[in-house]
């Protein structure tokens, strides 16, 4: 009875705190939206690694959700709901925005974690950024960021071809691992800055193509042990992101070619090439000389 | 470079001797490599070229027994990765030292070629400085770009031909075409210049000196007819011993390198190192006039007819240049390279090195004076590039839709290239690389009489 009362009290405190923490920039989801999926058990270092090593070759949101369902831990591995030491973990996305100018920008995300007590140690926050078609992350750039210890681990999955335009490419996913400590729960936000680059967009009469960002998927996982590749990692699902943000949309307007330019651009391009070729041809014919004239002068 | 001065035998000052220039250039490059390492470690904007990271990763993969093509965007011969494998156990900047050494070697070769043709020391030195102190060229090697290696090979081929070492020239030609496909455009003028009347592989061919042919006049109608006559004469003996030997050796080396690479790396090698370069079209903005046309049509494939039509200007220019200038081999390949780059479907700044290494070799034969015609050409060419870069900056770093303006800037750049090319042609003192054996023997016969 006392235990149940304490749990109810904690839940009430949590609800009050959640309401009071809401700001105009908050776009977050909470634990309740992913109530079908509580925790995952994965054997790979990265969650997305498991996804792409199965039959999936490209990212599809509904397929990915089904994949997560199949990665759930068996019931005996899930902490008991009646265990008084367990408090539901949660997170809030405080702020999300695309900053910078031009074709190279940063996706900023601020995440707030709530205090957590668990039977097993969950020390790593895993963020899955399922990027929309039209933008990509450079794996090599992310590697150098990782070397500067900004993230504990990062990898890009899906279409990593940096050169293709968006209408010839598929989506990609960036999986970021960030170490969390008790101080992160006390002090508040974990800020992430993910550098992104624009692909060439489909033609658009307006001259711009809009790319919209959804919400990331958030997990709290046990740390990956380097030498134990087959040991399963446990991940608590904090939130499964929506394809569009809840309150304020996060988007990026990227310049796109204008279809109406096609005819005269092609015509003038060829005209310029032909004119230049003729100029060089005429200059060559007029200016070239015969070697025999020089030899006859020397004799 | 104008030969305005009467006293062309003046030696340059001691501090400007070739040796001291080379030593100074070497120290400059070492300094830039060391500075580059510092900048990479301490600043967000890296000094090192992205390509160098690609080469290094590919070399590391090869050193650990894997395919270099596992590294995305590695589109070169496996030879390059093999050359850089020592970087895994020496230092990561090993490749930069290798490329910078090639850069210095290019300077050495330029000096050698000009001295062989008896160009006065002062003009030699100025010509070499055009390469060694060109800011573009001394940064390209120190940033880790491999183009100086290709340039060194091409100049070595010219030196080999000048020394009558046909097999050597053919070997390196086959290798350089395997390494970087574009030198295939030099095949025709090289084959033409191996005319048995000018080139005999068992002896060093007589070279046309810088001092001869000073009073050449522009072509008359008679001379125009003989351009065709000379070409037909050269083609008549197309299957001479020297030409067949050159074709067999270079073709054999090219095929052998490809066969070995294919044996180890299969279709990945074929696609990434060869076919990609032959079929490359890039809708992303670059200096080429075709980029916006390609982007606007990228959602549908081009037909074979459209591809052929777009190739016609390039083909016409290459054919015209070879037909008119093949005897002046160095000048011919310089013009071919400039035109090839200007009319290509994709143009990036690193392609400019391909003709920068040949420019010093033609300057001693140019009547163009630096003041003011030379300066005008330099300003127009750099100005057109800068204009393009400004619009490129607006698109890429400010996110403004300026595709049309950028495309117009690329048209202007083509116009600047054409203008400079035409001016160089008009001001060039035609000077065949080899002197004809026939005319020497005729002289001898006349003397006997």
């Amino acid at each position: 009875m006392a235990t149940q009362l304490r749990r109810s009290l904690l839940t009430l405190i949590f609800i009050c705190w959640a309401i009071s923490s809401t700001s105009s920039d908050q776009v977050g989801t909470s634990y309740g939206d992913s109530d079908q999926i509580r925790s995952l058990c994965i054997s790979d270092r990265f969650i997305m690694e498991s996804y792409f090593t199965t039959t999936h070759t490209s990212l599809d949101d509904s397929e990915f959700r089904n994949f997560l369902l199949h990665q759930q831990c068996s019931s005996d591995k899930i902490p008991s709901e009646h265990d008084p030491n367990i408090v539901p973990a949660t997170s809030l996305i405080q702020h999300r925005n695309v900053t910078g100018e031009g074709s190279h920008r940063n996706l900023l995300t601020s995440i707030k974690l709530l205090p957590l007590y668990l039977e097993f140690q969950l020390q790593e926050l895993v963020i899955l950024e399922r990027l929309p078609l039209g933008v990509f992350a450079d794996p090599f750039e992310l590697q150098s960021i990782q070397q500067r210890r900004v993230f504990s681990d990062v990898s890009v999955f899906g279409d990593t071809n940096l050169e293709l335009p968006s209408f010839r490419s598929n989506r990609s996913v960036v999986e970021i691992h960030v170490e969390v400590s008790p101080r992160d729960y006390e002090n508040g936000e974990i800020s992430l800055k993910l550098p992104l680059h624009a692909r060439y967009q489909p033609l658009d009469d307006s001259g711009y193509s809009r790319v919209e960002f959804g919400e990331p998927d958030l997990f709290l996982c046990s740390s990956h042990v380097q030498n134990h590749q087959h040991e399963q990692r446990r991940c608590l699902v904090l939130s499964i992101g929506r394809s569009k943000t809840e309150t304020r949309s996060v988007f990026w307007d990227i310049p796109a070619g204008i279809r109406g330019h096609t005819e005269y651009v092609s015509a003038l391009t060829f005209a310029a090439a032909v004119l230049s070729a003729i100029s060089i041809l005429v200059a060559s014919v007029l200016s070239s000389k015969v070697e025999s004239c020089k030899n006859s002068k020397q004799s | 470079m104008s030969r305005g001065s009467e006293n062309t035998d003046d030696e340059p000052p001691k501090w400007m001797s070739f040796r001291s220039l080379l030593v100074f250039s070497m120290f400059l490059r070492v300094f830039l490599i060391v500075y580059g390492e510092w900048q990479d470690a301490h600043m967000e904007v890296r000094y090192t070229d992205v390509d160098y990271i690609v080469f290094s990763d590919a070399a590391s993969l090869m050193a650990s027994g894997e395919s270099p093509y596992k590294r995305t965007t590695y589109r070169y011969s496996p030879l390059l990765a093999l050359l850089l494998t020592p970087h895994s156990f020496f230092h990561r900047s090993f490749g930069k030292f290798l490329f910078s050494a090639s850069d210095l070697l290019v300077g050495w070769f330029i000096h050698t070629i000009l001295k062989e043709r008896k160009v006065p020391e002062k003009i030699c030195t100025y010509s070499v400085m055009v390469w060694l102190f060109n800011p573009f060229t001394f940064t390209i090697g120190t940033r880790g770009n491999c183009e100086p290696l290709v340039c060194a090979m091409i100049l070595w081929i010219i030196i080999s031909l000048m020394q009558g070492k046909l097999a050597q020239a053919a070997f390196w030609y086959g290798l350089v075409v395997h390494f970087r496909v574009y030198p295939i455009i030099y095949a025709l003028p090289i084959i033409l210049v191996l005319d048995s009347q000018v080139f005999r592989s068992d002896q060093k061919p007589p070279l046309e000196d810088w001092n001869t042919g000073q009073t050449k006049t522009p072509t008359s109608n008679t001379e125009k007819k003989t351009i065709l006559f000379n070409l037909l004469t050269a083609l008549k003996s197309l299957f001479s011993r020297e030409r067949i030997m050159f074709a067999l050796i270079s073709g054999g080396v090219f095929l052998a390198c490809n066969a070995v690479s294919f044996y180890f790396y299969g279709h990945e090698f074929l696609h990434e190192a060869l076919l990609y370069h032959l079929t490359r079209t890039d809708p992303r903005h670059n200096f080429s006039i075709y980029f916006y046309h390609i982007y606007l049509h990228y959602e549908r494939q081009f037909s074979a007819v459209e591809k052929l039509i777009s190739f016609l200007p390039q083909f016409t220019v290459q054919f015209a240049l070879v037909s008119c200038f093949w005897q002046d081999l160095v000048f011919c390949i310089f013009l071919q390279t400039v035109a090839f780059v200007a009319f290509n479907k994709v143009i990036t700044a690193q392609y400019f090195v391909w003709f920068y290494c040949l420019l010093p070799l033609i300057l001693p034969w140019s009547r163009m004076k630096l003041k003011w015609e030379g300066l005008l050409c330099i300003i127009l060419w750099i100005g057109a590039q800068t204009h393009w870069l400004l619009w490129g900056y607006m698109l890429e770093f400010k996110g403004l839709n300026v595709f049309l303006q950028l495309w117009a800037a690329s048209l202007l750049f083509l116009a600047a290239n054409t203008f400079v090319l035409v001016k160089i042609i008009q001001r060039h003192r035609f000077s065949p690389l080899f002197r004809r054996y026939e005319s020497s023997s005729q002289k001898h016969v006349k003397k006997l009489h």
Side-chain angles (χ1 to χ4, degrees):
Chain A
M1 179 76 174
T3 309
Q4 283 182 351
L5 188 63
R6 188 170 58 179
R7 276 180 61 81
S8 303
L9 196 60
L10 280 167
T11 308
L12 185 63
I13 291 169
F14 161 68
I15 290 167
C16 292
W17 181 91
I19 291 168
S20 65
S21 299
T22 302
S23 68
S24 60
D25 288 331
Q26 183 184 325
V27 295
T29 59
S30 67
Y31 179 78
D33 287 315
S34 52
D35 56 359
Q36 288 185 346
I37 309 166
R38 297 288 173 89
S39 64
L40 307 180
C41 285
I42 55 165
S43 50
D44 291 311
R45 187 172 166 194
F46 294 97
I47 295 172
M48 291 313 295
E49 201 173 344
S50 304
Y51 176 82
F52 280 100
T53 52
T54 56
T55 54
H56 307 102
T57 52
S58 61
L59 179 66
D60 178 84
D61 288 340
S62 58
E63 277 184 20
F64 179 64
R65 200 175 175 80
N66 288 336
F67 162 77
L68 290 179
L69 276 169
H70 285 105
Q71 301 305 308
Q72 287 190 96
C73 298
S74 53
S75 57
D76 59 2
K77 288 177 185 166
I78 299 173
S80 166
E81 287 183 10
H82 302 291
D83 187 330
N85 292 319
I86 302 307
V87 172
T90 190
S91 64
L92 287 170
I93 298 175
Q94 296 272 71
H95 181 76
R96 193 153 162 87
N97 200 8
V98 174
T99 60
E101 287 182 302
S103 303
H104 315 285
R105 300 196 186 187
N106 295 297
L107 178 62
L108 292 180
T109 310
S110 302
I111 300 164
K112 190 167 181 65
L113 289 177
L114 295 183
L116 164 71
Y117 295 96
L118 270 179
E119 189 179 329
F120 44 87
Q121 295 297 313
L122 299 180
Q123 295 172 337
E124 205 167 59
L125 178 67
V126 174
I127 303 105
L128 295 186
E129 284 287 358
R130 284 174 284 136
L131 298 177
L133 211 56
V135 297
F136 67 92
D138 184 344
F140 306 103
E141 184 181 18
L142 294 180
Q143 249 176 31
S144 71
I145 291 175
Q146 188 195 340
Q147 282 164 7
R148 287 188 272 129
R149 303 259 186 238
V150 176
F151 308 135
S152 63
D153 219 337
V154 63
S155 192
V156 184
F157 298 90
D159 194 338
T160 53
N161 188 319
L162 312 181
E163 298 170 332
L164 289 176
S166 67
F167 42 91
R168 291 270 182 97
S169 60
N170 292 309
R171 290 175 65 190
S172 56
V173 183
V174 182
E175 182 167 334
I176 304 167
H177 295 194
V178 178
E179 280 177 10
V180 294
S181 62
R183 198 180 47 190
D184 292 310
Y185 293 99
E186 292 160 14
N187 293 348
E189 293 179 9
I190 296 172
S191 293
L192 295 170
K193 189 163 98 169
L194 179 64
L196 296 176
H197 311 276
R199 292 189 187 278
Y200 260 50
Q201 300 298 302
L203 303 181
D204 194 295
D205 289 334
S206 69
Y208 290 89
S209 173
R210 177 162 286 195
V211 171
E212 286 204 48
F213 291 84
E215 296 164 2
D217 306 325
L218 301 175
F219 306 86
L220 259 182
C221 297
S222 55
S223 298
H224 175 73
V225 181
Q226 284 289 340
N227 296 323
H228 295 104
Q229 287 181 354
H230 299 293
E231 182 177 309
Q232 290 209 320
R233 298 176 67 200
R234 293 174 182 82
C235 294
L236 190 69
V237 178
L238 299 181
S239 70
I240 302 294
R242 297 192 185 93
S243 56
K244 289 186 189 232
T245 51
E246 195 173 44
T247 52
R248 191 172 66 98
S249 61
V250 179
F251 60 86
W252 181 355
D253 286 328
I254 301 171
I258 297 173
R259 206 179 299 274
H261 292 166
T262 307
E263 280 183 19
Y264 66 82
V265 162
S266 299
L268 287 174
T269 299
F270 283 114
V274 167
L275 201 62
S276 293
I278 289 171
S279 306
I280 295 168
L281 176 67
V282 167
S284 302
V285 169
L286 290 177
S287 298
S288 58
K289 303 178 189 298
V290 180
E291 173 60 15
S292 55
C293 291
K294 210 179 0 176
N295 287 338
S296 64
K297 279 185 184 175
Q298 287 174 348
S299 64
Chain B
M1 184 180 292
S2 171
R3 297 179 298 110
S5 166
E6 289 299 311
N7 189 2
T8 53
D9 291 332
D10 275 353
E11 292 288 320
K14 261 193 178 166
W15 63 269
M16 254 177 69
S17 71
F18 174 66
R19 193 174 295 239
S20 53
L21 287 177
L22 208 59
V23 168
F24 178 76
S25 302
M26 184 185 72
F27 281 115
L28 173 65
R29 281 147 178 82
V30 168
F31 168 75
L32 285 172
I33 291 171
V34 171
Y35 166 75
E37 292 294 307
W38 178 88
Q39 181 169 327
D40 288 354
H42 294 89
M43 293 169 72
E44 201 168 331
V45 176
R46 299 173 70 107
Y47 181 83
T48 303
D49 198 324
V50 166
D51 278 348
Y52 187 72
I53 299 166
V54 174
F55 303 153
S56 304
D57 291 346
S60 300
L61 284 165
M62 191 184 248
S64 53
E66 296 183 68
S67 166
Y69 299 103
K70 279 192 175 170
R71 180 37 164 108
T72 53
T73 70
Y74 181 75
R75 298 203 173 95
Y76 300 88
S77 164
L79 278 178
L80 179 60
L82 184 66
L83 274 174
L84 296 181
T85 45
H87 107 287
S88 305
F89 42 87
F90 281 146
H91 189 270
R92 63 174 175 265
S93 58
F94 167 81
K96 292 182 186 178
F97 281 100
L98 180 68
F99 301 147
S100 297
S102 307
D103 175 5
L104 294 171
L105 202 57
V106 168
W108 182 284
F109 288 162
I110 290 169
H111 190 257
T112 303
I113 290 168
L114 295 178
K115 291 306 285 182
E116 282 275 346
R117 298 189 74 184
K118 312 249 186 320
V119 174
E121 185 65 30
K122 199 171 183 179
I123 298 178
C124 268
T125 305
Y126 286 134
S127 299
V128 166
M129 283 168 73
V130 167
W131 170 261
L132 288 177
F133 298 127
N134 183 337
F136 190 86
T137 55
F138 63 64
T139 50
I140 206 161
T142 56
R143 291 185 65 215
N145 195 289
C146 70
E147 301 298 346
L149 214 54
V150 180
C151 295
M153 283 198 260
I154 287 171
L155 294 193
W156 182 241
I157 291 164
I158 296 171
I159 291 173
S160 301
L161 288 172
M162 287 167 73
Q163 292 173 347
K165 294 174 182 171
L166 186 67
Q168 183 174 286
F171 173 84
W172 285 96
Y173 184 68
L175 190 63
V176 82
V177 175
H178 161 79
F179 200 82
R180 214 72 169 99
V181 182
Y182 87 88
I184 193 71
I185 63 173
Y186 306 151
L188 188 56
I190 291 177
I191 289 288
L192 287 174
V193 94
L194 297 178
D195 183 349
S196 52
Q197 290 180 356
V198 300
F199 192 96
R200 285 169 196 167
S201 54
D202 52 349
Q203 45 191 283
K204 184 177 173 179
L207 301 174
E208 194 72 42
D209 291 344
W210 180 79
N211 288 307
T212 55
Q214 293 177 23
T215 55
K216 279 230 182 279
T217 53
T219 53
S220 64
N221 278 336
T222 313
E223 287 175 330
K224 273 187 215 171
K225 277 191 214 165
T226 54
I227 294 166
L228 186 60
F229 175 77
N230 261 351
L231 188 61
L232 289 173
T233 310
L235 289 171
K236 244 173 35 183
S237 56
L238 190 61
F239 298 102
S240 68
R241 180 175 165 267
E242 288 77 21
R243 286 168 173 161
I244 292 172
M245 213 170 109
F246 187 89
L248 285 176
I249 295 173
S250 58
V253 168
F254 175 75
L255 288 172
C257 290
N258 287 342
V260 169
S261 303
F262 183 77
Y263 175 77
F264 284 106
Y265 305 112
H267 288 283
E268 257 186 330
F269 154 72
L270 268 184
H271 182 262
E272 298 291 342
L274 283 180
L275 297 177
Y276 171 81
H277 297 290
L278 294 173
T279 58
R280 181 182 183 186
T281 54
D282 200 335
R284 293 173 300 168
H285 54 284
N286 60 86
F287 290 111
S288 173
I289 59 170
Y290 294 104
F291 93 85
Y292 197 24
H293 163 76
I294 291 169
Y295 177 26
L296 292 170
H297 289 86
Y298 214 70
E299 285 171 342
R300 68 164 184 85
Q301 296 285 349
F302 285 115
S303 67
V305 173
E306 281 169 326
K307 284 180 185 173
L308 193 65
I309 291 171
S310 65
F311 183 63
L312 270 179
Q314 175 78 275
F315 179 78
T316 307
V317 166
Q318 292 295 319
F319 185 75
L321 292 172
V322 171
S323 304
C324 295
F325 301 113
W326 61 271
Q327 291 171 306
D328 191 345
L329 180 67
V330 178
F331 185 61
C332 181
I333 67 176
F334 169 79
L335 294 177
Q336 279 189 276
T337 313
V338 175
F340 180 78
V341 171
F343 285 91
N344 206 25
K345 296 274 174 15
V346 178
I347 304 172
T348 61
Q350 71 186 70
Y351 296 174
F352 300 155
V353 188
W354 298 348
F355 54 77
Y356 279 159
C357 67
L358 299 169
L359 178 64
L361 299 177
I362 65 150
L363 287 177
W365 283 267
S366 180
R367 293 189 206 94
M368 191 185 296
K369 296 188 181 181
L370 191 61
K371 289 181 184 179
W372 292 100
E373 207 170 13
L375 269 177
L376 176 68
C377 288
I378 292 169
I379 288 167
L380 272 177
W381 194 77
I382 293 176
Q385 236 185 94
T386 308
H387 175 242
W388 187 96
L389 288 169
L390 281 171
W391 290 113
Y393 174 80
M394 292 292 191
L395 173 68
E396 191 163 340
F397 295 100
K398 291 296 178 186
L400 300 174
N401 187 321
V402 292
F403 282 111
L404 210 57
Q405 294 90 323
L406 193 56
W407 164 73
S410 66
L411 292 183
L412 273 176
F413 185 58
L414 176 67
N417 274 296
T418 305
F419 176 83
V420 170
L421 209 56
V422 166
K423 278 291 166 200
I424 288 175
I425 290 170
Q426 287 174 344
R427 294 290 178 263
H428 181 71
R429 180 166 59 86
F430 182 83
S431 176
L433 183 61
F434 302 118
R435 203 177 300 164
R436 298 178 79 82
Y437 280 103
E438 190 182 64
S439 53
S440 302
S441 58
Q442 278 175 351
K443 261 191 284 184
H444 185 66
V445 167
K446 279 186 184 172
K447 278 183 183 171
L448 285 176
H449 284 90

